[in-house]
Amino acid sequence: MSTRVTLVDRGRVRADMGYVLSGYTMGGAAEPNPDHEIGDFVVWAAVIETDSQTVLVDTGPPSNAESYWPDPLYDAFEAYDAADRFLQSDLDAVGYAIDDIDAVVMTHLHLDHAGELSVFEGTDVPIYVHEDELPFAFMSAHTNEGSIAYLAADFDGGYNWQLVHGETHTLDPSVRLLHLPGHTPGLMGLQVSLPDEETLLIAGDEAYVEANYTDGVPLGPGLLWDSCAWRTSRERLREIDRQTDAMVLYGHDLSVFQSIDAELSS
């Protein structure tokens, strides 16, 4: 069997475009009070099925996001349809079950990506996370340092953590994990080799939307842990893209998600 990728729609988030594209709405002398634009963004997971294993990439937000997420975060990133979505039912919709999953890759542990990781708590399913992500997430969730986008209940507990070290980790002959710090210290993307010599690059939240990647517009200040690291990671992805002519899947770009989903399903 050749490697196959199936995208899993996990719902929508509304947010100000200024969070996603730095400088998107800025006042000036001619327009001191510009209008703000609210964008509609996708939250997704992915199932990668290879000859040896079935891997889930991220889990998406929890169904109780409105009451569970801190009020300032939910106000900024409104997961408005989360109550109607569950990881199991969204997997069912694309032909998979929780029990089919042999391993989980967490691109990072922010609350919109790790919100249903708890379905694997107490199991032997390996949870791959970068060595720089896990301590930062725990520090952030348990102290006043770091980022408020990590919630302890998302990842505290009995998990079979597997730390990814360094810049590249071969999970399978057709699946490479890529360390892409910038959005968070331990953000990971994936390079997936598909049939007919096609390549899927999962940029994840290194590029929230296409303009972050193609035009080099940084994420908004609230979404950047390290702007210099972000630029280096973007150039790493672009070099792989130049070598492979890849399809590039961004973290939350709805139109690109739909386009790649249609291509992978054809």
Side-chain angles (χ1 to χ4, degrees):
M1 182 192 75
S2 300
T3 296
R4 180 175 67 180
V5 178
T6 302
L7 301 186
V8 185
D9 192 330
R10 296 289 289 117
R12 303 288 179 270
V13 169
R14 292 191 188 106
D16 192 306
M17 291 295 297
Y19 285 116
V20 175
L21 298 171
S22 181
Y24 188 86
T25 307
M26 294 185 68
E31 192 175 359
N33 298 298
D35 292 333
H36 285 253
E37 180 181 339
I38 302 299
D40 207 35
F41 305 100
V42 67
V43 185
W44 54 262
V47 178
I48 304 174
E49 191 171 356
T50 75
D51 289 333
S52 61
Q53 59 186 322
T54 299
V55 179
L56 177 68
V57 180
D58 287 345
T59 70
S63 59
N64 62 342
E66 185 171 5
S67 59
Y68 171 55
W69 288 2
D71 289 342
L73 278 175
Y74 190 83
D75 184 63
F77 297 93
E78 182 193 6
Y80 59 87
D81 64 350
D84 301 322
R85 323 275 319 211
F86 300 88
L87 179 60
Q88 178 61 81
S89 58
D90 287 343
L91 282 173
D92 285 343
V94 294
Y96 290 95
I98 296 294
D99 289 345
D100 295 329
I101 304 303
D102 299 311
V104 178
V105 172
M106 294 305 305
T107 62
H108 60 306
L109 293 171
H110 276 175
L111 74 181
D112 57 329
H113 293 258
E116 287 207 61
L117 186 58
S118 60
V119 301
F120 299 100
E121 186 175 1
T123 74
D124 293 329
V125 174
I127 312 296
Y128 290 88
V129 64
H130 196 271
E131 61 178 331
D132 293 340
E133 183 70 8
L134 195 57
F136 186 76
F138 272 79
M139 177 193 72
S140 297
H142 290 290
T143 75
N144 291 325
E145 303 293 329
S147 166
I148 64 171
Y150 296 100
L151 300 182
D154 284 343
F155 44 81
D156 276 352
Y159 294 98
N160 181 15
W161 296 112
Q162 300 294 313
L163 294 185
V164 174
H165 304 281
E167 297 304 301
T168 305
H169 177 93
T170 301
L171 187 64
D172 180 273
S174 62
V175 181
R176 299 170 68 222
L177 308 183
L178 310 171
H179 184 210
L180 302 171
H183 176 57
T184 74
L187 183 78
M188 291 195 299
L190 295 91
Q191 180 181 350
V192 185
S193 298
L194 299 172
D196 300 322
E197 299 185 350
E198 285 192 298
T199 297
L200 174 66
L201 264 185
I202 297 179
D205 282 9
E206 164 65 18
Y208 215 87
V209 295
E210 187 171 26
N212 302 132
Y213 180 76
T214 58
D215 300 333
V217 181
L219 301 167
L223 295 182
L224 267 186
W225 165 74
D226 184 325
S227 60
C228 291
W230 175 83
R231 292 183 185 279
T232 300
S233 295
R234 173 179 173 266
E235 289 310 312
R236 184 184 184 201
L237 282 176
R238 286 169 62 83
E239 176 59 22
I240 297 171
D241 187 2
R242 285 189 288 268
Q243 293 173 356
T244 62
D245 191 24
M247 294 182 286
V248 184
L249 177 62
Y250 311 113
H252 297 274
D253 191 308
L254 178 56
S255 63
V256 172
F257 171 85
Q258 292 171 333
S259 175
I260 292 180
D261 185 38
E263 184 159 352
L264 292 172
S265 302
S266 62

